[in-house]
Amino acid sequence: MDQIKLHRLANRFRTHNDHNAFRELYSCFHKRVWFLIHAQNIPEIHADDVFQEVSIGLARYLVKQPKTPDNLKALVYSITRNKITDYFRRRKEQASFNELEETISDKRRCPARIMESRDEFHKLMAGCGLSSSQRETLVLHYLMGYTLNEIAELTLVSRDTAKSRIYYGKKALTAYLQRERERV
């Protein structure tokens, strides 16, 4: 859906309290939000709660703001990321965006197949030393197929920063995999 239609829906909800407009707006982001939540290996019962918190957070944000933000996609992503972080803080666990490049070399892989193997990613990536921003960027790029420009826009960093995170993340993954191969 194009940005103009998204803004119209957001404005209808914000100014006229049109709940159908909000449902339609949120349905545009539903799958991506759900995927981001599940990519964190959050148990199903808690994933539903986080998903609902994202929806409520978006509604509250739109109602409180005097105007609709320019980039709704980045707003929804930021709210989702914050709610995931809140979940892990409440549970005193560290959020992890784990990804293994060799397993996901094809960006066009079906999300269902990726989700099936996410436990494998978490096991293989434990202790590899990636920062949360590197893990996040790698997941967005390799698991979800975002371009560098889209990642920069979503994470509110420059394109060069996103590129650097991918480079150093891949470098750390390669070193980790070499150490693992040498141990075996």
Side-chain angles (χ1 to χ4, degrees):
M1 186 175 288
D2 64 13
Q3 286 290 339
I4 294 170
K5 186 167 183 182
L6 291 174
H7 276 89
R8 285 185 187 145
L9 290 171
N11 283 329
R12 264 188 18 219
F13 171 70
R14 195 174 50 73
T15 58
H16 302 298
N17 203 20
D18 183 348
H19 294 283
N20 289 329
F22 181 77
R23 280 189 205 100
E24 189 176 343
L25 173 70
Y26 196 69
S27 70
C28 297
F29 300 106
H30 175 268
K31 288 181 183 176
R32 290 177 187 219
V33 168
W34 194 246
F35 181 81
L36 283 169
I37 292 169
H38 279 276
Q40 301 313 305
N41 209 19
I42 296 173
E44 191 73 28
I45 190 166
H46 300 295
D48 291 338
D49 294 340
V50 174
F51 185 78
Q52 187 175 22
E53 288 176 19
V54 172
S55 175
I56 292 167
L58 177 62
R60 285 183 179 159
Y61 182 91
L62 291 174
V63 168
K64 288 181 180 179
Q65 295 305 312
K67 72 176 208 145
T68 303
D70 292 334
N71 191 336
L72 286 169
K73 192 179 194 183
L75 171 66
V76 171
Y77 177 78
S78 294
I79 291 171
T80 303
R81 184 174 54 183
N82 291 340
K83 296 303 178 183
I84 290 169
T85 302
D86 290 346
Y87 164 79
F88 283 106
R89 278 190 192 132
R90 284 191 308 263
R91 307 283 181 297
K92 295 187 181 182
E93 295 176 17
Q94 182 179 2
S96 63
F97 290 87
N98 291 328
E99 178 278 327
L100 182 59
E101 183 183 27
E102 291 178 354
T103 309
I104 313 169
S105 58
D106 183 6
K107 291 183 194 177
R108 295 168 301 230
R109 279 188 63 184
C110 169
R113 289 182 59 204
I114 292 170
M115 296 310 292
E116 288 172 6
S117 59
R118 76 170 183 233
D119 291 337
E120 179 184 333
F121 304 146
H122 287 276
K123 288 177 189 171
L124 292 171
M125 295 308 301
C128 70
L130 293 177
S131 70
S132 61
S133 59
Q134 287 171 332
R135 289 189 299 265
E136 175 182 42
T137 304
L138 290 171
V139 166
L140 289 170
H141 188 66
Y142 290 106
L143 285 178
M144 301 185 74
Y146 283 103
T147 66
L148 284 173
N149 290 334
E150 290 171 327
I151 293 169
E153 190 176 309
L154 288 172
T155 58
L156 306 175
V157 298
S158 71
R159 182 182 187 281
D160 290 338
T161 300
K163 187 176 181 179
S164 173
R165 288 176 180 173
I166 290 173
Y167 172 79
Y168 288 108
K170 285 174 24 179
K171 189 174 178 180
L173 284 171
T174 302
Y176 172 75
L177 290 172
Q178 283 180 325
R179 286 192 307 271
E180 289 299 308
R181 285 186 191 119
E182 289 171 2
R183 275 188 24 195
V184 175

